[in-house]
């Protein structure tokens, strides 16, 4: 790649990155030029000498993954993609941070070719990288055979001070060491500056010692502006005998090259200004106009020929693998495509029919485990665990085996008490491909991982969150563990399907929907035993539409909408209302977002216009107003520590109170009619 004077070529390659970053930010009058300018030599060493990728095929399965965890430095990534030959023309760099451009303020997966994950919330990209490295390790364990290494790539990440200040970095990096992810290499942009200024007063950590304590290999500190030094560290990190993840500490200067902004917080999050941009051009010896790259620099960066050769070599290895192990190869390629097995629907139909006919009273967390065991047999890509709550969330299944760093295989992950890290690692697993991850914790602790749940929805990651102990029905642990606002809050996340099933049949449909949809799902499950509801085959099928009529009465005067454990309560109330001559319809709504996507005809069939509606759920009641409920029974305060049955009586979540609630409101509505007339 390099001509007779590699140092000069390296300098020109790095300065091209600096120039594009400061020009794009200046044109947008918005962005973060300092980090891209400071990490330029790090990028030259990695992208110019180590990263295996093909600009012509950004989804080539055995490519190295690159994650820019400090996503505010997005112009570094966009410049790299453009210069190395991806389908990201210069006009898109000129349109940095503009509506509908391919260069948004932070990198977005699925939007810009070559971007592996959406980054911006600091630390999550690093955790995604851990998930990607775990995915590679487990796929290699499962599919590689002697002489046939079809899974053999690395995960590289750039991180900044902010990524390492966030607590999620501790969660994910501790796990990376436990899993011995030797193909994970993280380059730390140690520039000592954040938005508020020099980080010393609030980030005094000895970062190398911290990572050594995890069990990582730590290299440096080195001069991050010395391409040869970074290259040497990368060679050591990627040596065949490396057995641990590696952190390379690169000492850099933010805004490198800017005469008046380098080394200061002013370089972090604002344009340099036209005068300073011109002074920087002069200081770094870059005489070219904005957005102009000389042909020799383009040639030095161009990775298309190398990328094509790497990809073609892998396809040749895959062909040999296919000849030697045809059945394994077929399964491997299916998994990479993210497709479910061809016979999955044939497997699913009897499974749903069997669970749909269940008459067993069971906690839905237990029903979930039963369904998971059946699905895991049919879907070898199912991979999951829990945040130190396996015995409570019931997220294991027979012969699942534990994922561990010292032995291959296993499909159950002990994440430890790391809800946020678990959720972000799951996103990385899903983004890598080959796996369908799930993870369990208590519903109330979903707050710890909420931003990673949001990122899963934003990125359309197919992940399943198993969130148990979903109400005051968990009992004696009290209000710290009893979720109240959580179901309603999670339903506000666009693109996240939130299921709260009432029994085994609805739990089976929730799981089957979750593994088939191209996006994230959350399953909210009970600790307490719930009764099985009576249904015909048509009703079992209707569960898939998010809400359906579970029990009806001729000339019903009202509709009771319920979810989860309160469906059984509504059915009991229906019997009490029958005795009082007040017929009502029971609608079970296990997933409101799925129901909202149904045709208007179905929605009107389930919820007839003009019929008064009452909501019931063991949580905040305001949520029900979107369905036109005239009143709702729920819990608008916190719970208490006591047995579940006693709590239900104490907070008025009983069939008797619901029936009385309906009668009183119907009477009030009836009395209001003459006045309205």
């Amino acid at each position: 790649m390099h001509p007779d004077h590699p140092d000069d070529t390296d300098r020109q390659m790095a300065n091209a990155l600096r120039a594009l970053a400061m020009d794009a930010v200046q044109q947008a009058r918005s962005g973060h030029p300092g980090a891209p300018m400071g990490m330029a030599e790090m990028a030259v060493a990695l992208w110019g000498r180590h990263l295996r990728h093909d600009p012509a095929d950004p989804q080539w399965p055995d490519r190295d993954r690159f994650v820019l965890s400090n996503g505010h430095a997005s112009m570094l990534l966009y410049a790299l993609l453009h210069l190395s030959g991806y389908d990201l023309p210069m006009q898109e760099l000129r349109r940095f941070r503009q509506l509908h451009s391919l260069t948004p303020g932070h990198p977005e997966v699925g939007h810009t070719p070559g971007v592996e994950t959406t980054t911006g919330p600091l630390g999550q990209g690093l955790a995604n990288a851990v998930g990607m490295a775990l995915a590679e390790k487990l796929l290699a364990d499962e599919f590689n055979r002697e002489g046939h290494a079809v899974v053999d790539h690395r995960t590289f990440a750039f991180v900044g001070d902010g990524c390492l200040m966030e607590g999620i970095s501790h969660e994910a990096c501790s796990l990376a060491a436990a899993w011995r992810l030797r193909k994970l290499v993280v380059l730390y942009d140690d520039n000592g500056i954040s938005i508020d200024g020099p980080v010393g007063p609030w980030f005094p950590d000895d970062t190398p010692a911290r990572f050594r304590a995890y069990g990582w290999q730590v290299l440096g500190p080195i001069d991050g502006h010395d391409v040869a030094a970074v290259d040497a560290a990368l060679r050591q990190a990627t040596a065949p005998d490396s057995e641990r993840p590696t952190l390379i500490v690169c000492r850099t200067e933010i805004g490198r090259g800017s005469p008046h902004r380098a080394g200061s917080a002013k370089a972090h999050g604002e344009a340099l200004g036209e005068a300073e941009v011109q002074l920087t051009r002069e200081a770094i010896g870059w005489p070219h106009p904005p957005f102009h790259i000389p042909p020799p620099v383009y040639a030095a960066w161009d990775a298309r020929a190398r990328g094509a050769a790497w990809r073609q070599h892998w396809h040749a290895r895959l062909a040999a693998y296919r000849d030697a192990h045809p059945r394994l190869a077929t399964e491997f390629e299916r998994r990479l495509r993210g497709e479910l097995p061809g016979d999955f629907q044939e497997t699913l139909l009897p499974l749903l029919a069997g669970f749909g006919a269940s008459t067993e009273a069971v906690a839905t967390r237990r029903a979930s485990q039963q369904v998971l065991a059946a699905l895991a047999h049919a879907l070898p890509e199912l991979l999951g665990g829990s945040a130190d709550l396996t015995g409570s969330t019931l997220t294991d299944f027979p012969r699942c085996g534990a994922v561990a760093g010292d032995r291959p295989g296993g499909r159950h992950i002990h994440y430890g008490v790391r809800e946020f890290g678990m959720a972000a690692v799951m996103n990385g697993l899903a983004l890598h491909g080959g796996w369908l991850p799930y993870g369990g914790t208590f519903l109330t602790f979903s707050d710890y991982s909420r931003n990673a749940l949001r990122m899963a929805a934003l990125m359309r990651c197919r992940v399943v969150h198993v969130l148990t102990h979903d109400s005051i029905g968990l009992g004696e642990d009290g209000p710290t563990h009893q979720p109240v606002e959580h179901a309603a809050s999670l339903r506000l996340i666009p693109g996240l399907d939130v299921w709260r099933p009432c029994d085994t049949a609805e739990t089976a449909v929730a799981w089957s929907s979750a593994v088939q949809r191209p996006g994230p799902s959350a399953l909210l499950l009970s600790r307490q035993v719930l009764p099985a509801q009576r249904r015909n085959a048509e009703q079992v099928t209707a569960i898939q539409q998010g809400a359906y009529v579970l029990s009806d009465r001729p000339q019903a005067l009202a509709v009771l909408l319920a979810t989860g454990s309160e469906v059984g309560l509504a059915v009991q109330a229906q019997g009490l209302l029958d005795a009082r001559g007040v017929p009502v319809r029971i609608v079970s709504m296990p997933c409101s977002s799925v129901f909202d996507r149904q045709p208007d005809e179905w929605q009107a069939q389930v919820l007839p216009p003009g019929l008064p509606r009452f909501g019931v759920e063991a949580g905040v009641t305001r949520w029900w107003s979107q369905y036109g409920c005239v009143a709702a029974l729920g819990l608008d305060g916190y719970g208490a520590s006591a047995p579940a049955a006693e709590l239900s009586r104490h907070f008025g979540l009983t069939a008797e109170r619901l029936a009385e609630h309906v009668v009183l409101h119907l009477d009030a509505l009836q009395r209001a009619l003459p006045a309205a007339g």
Side-chain angles (χ1 to χ4, degrees), residues 394-469:
L394 304 181
T395 45
D396 58 352
F397 53 88
R399 297 177 298 281
C400 57
V403 171
D406 58 352
R407 60 180 182 275
R411 292 171 64 188
H412 183 268
I413 302 174
H414 293 283
Y415 283 101
V417 187
R418 300 181 178 96
E419 294 87 359
F420 194 6
M422 174 178 71
V425 166
M426 287 165 57
N427 290 346
L429 285 162
L431 289 164
H432 178 280
W435 298 105
L436 203 170
Y438 67 90
T441 188
F442 289 178
L443 175 56
T444 191
F445 301 147
S446 65
D447 280 346
Y448 280 129
S449 52
R450 183 180 178 87
N451 199 262
L453 280 160
R454 181 179 185 272
M455 294 301 293
L458 182 63
M459 296 188 287
R460 300 182 182 88
C461 293
R462 185 172 56 165
V463 297
V464 184
H465 288 268
V466 180
L467 304 173
T468 69
H469 296 59

Side-chain angles (χ1 to χ4, degrees), residues 438-524:
Y438 67 90
T441 188
F442 289 178
L443 175 56
T444 191
F445 301 147
S446 65
D447 280 346
Y448 280 129
S449 52
R450 183 180 178 87
N451 199 262
L453 280 160
R454 181 179 185 272
M455 294 301 293
L458 182 63
M459 296 188 287
R460 300 182 182 88
C461 293
R462 185 172 56 165
V463 297
V464 184
H465 288 268
V466 180
L467 304 173
T468 69
H469 296 59
D470 70 338
S471 72
I472 60 170
L474 70 89
E476 292 84 349
D477 276 338
T480 62
H481 283 51
Q482 292 166 357
V484 175
E485 76 280 17
H486 297 75
S489 177
L490 289 174
R491 291 174 182 133
L492 292 174
I493 299 177
L496 175 67
D497 275 358
V498 179
W499 289 85
R500 189 167 185 253
C502 73
D503 62 4
T504 298
E506 289 190 358
T507 303
V509 172
W511 261 110
S512 68
S513 173
V515 300
Q516 294 181 82
R517 79 176 298 254
S521 302
L523 278 52
L524 280 49

Side-chain angles (χ1 to χ4, degrees), residues 70-130:
N70 43 348
H72 57 271
S74 57
M75 264 311 304
L76 175 70
L77 180 54
Y78 299 146
L80 287 165
L81 294 171
H82 168 76
L83 292 169
S84 59
Y86 285 79
D87 186 15
L88 190 66
M90 184 66 83
Q91 65 186 25
E92 293 296 338
L93 275 63
R94 291 177 177 270
R95 299 181 62 236
F96 179 54
R97 290 189 163 221
Q98 304 308 300
L99 185 64
H100 304 313
S101 78
L102 293 179
T103 51
H106 291 83
E108 297 179 23
V109 67
H111 183 75
T112 308
V115 172
E116 299 284 3
T117 180
T118 301
T119 55
L122 292 176
Q124 286 197 62
L126 173 56
N128 295 163
V130 172

Side-chain angles (χ1 to χ4, degrees), residues 485-643:
E485 76 280 17
H486 297 75
S489 177
L490 289 174
R491 291 174 182 133
L492 292 174
I493 299 177
L496 175 67
D497 275 358
V498 179
W499 289 85
R500 189 167 185 253
C502 73
D503 62 4
T504 298
E506 289 190 358
T507 303
V509 172
W511 261 110
S512 68
S513 173
V515 300
Q516 294 181 82
R517 79 176 298 254
S521 302
L523 278 52
L524 280 49
L525 308 171
S526 74
R527 175 183 184 268
Q528 72 273 29
V529 170
L530 304 180
Q533 300 300 325
R534 296 176 60 184
R535 299 177 189 80
N536 57 35
E538 184 179 346
Q539 287 173 307
V540 172
T541 300
I543 297 171
Q544 300 174 56
Q545 292 172 281
Y548 63 101
V549 178
L550 176 65
S551 180
D552 209 0
R553 295 290 185 267
Q555 285 78 51
L557 298 177
V559 177
L560 304 189
L561 287 93
T563 79
S565 50
E566 286 65 62
V567 170
L569 186 151
V571 170
Q572 293 176 39
Q574 184 186 50
L576 297 175
L577 290 166
D578 285 342
R580 300 176 68 166
V582 182
V584 297
R585 166 181 286 191
I586 305 299
V587 169
S588 176
M589 184 180 278
C591 187
S592 60
S593 57
V594 170
F595 178 68
D596 293 344
R597 295 197 293 267
Q598 300 307 308
D600 292 344
E601 295 79 6
W602 178 260
Q603 295 188 29
Q605 181 181 332
V606 173
L607 299 176
L611 204 58
R613 304 166 188 173
F614 297 84
V616 56
E617 183 175 65
V620 293
T621 58
R622 189 179 306 170
W623 176 78
W624 286 110
S625 63
Q626 65 189 302
Y627 294 105
C629 291
V630 299
L633 186 66
L635 200 67
D636 286 314
Y638 295 108
S641 177

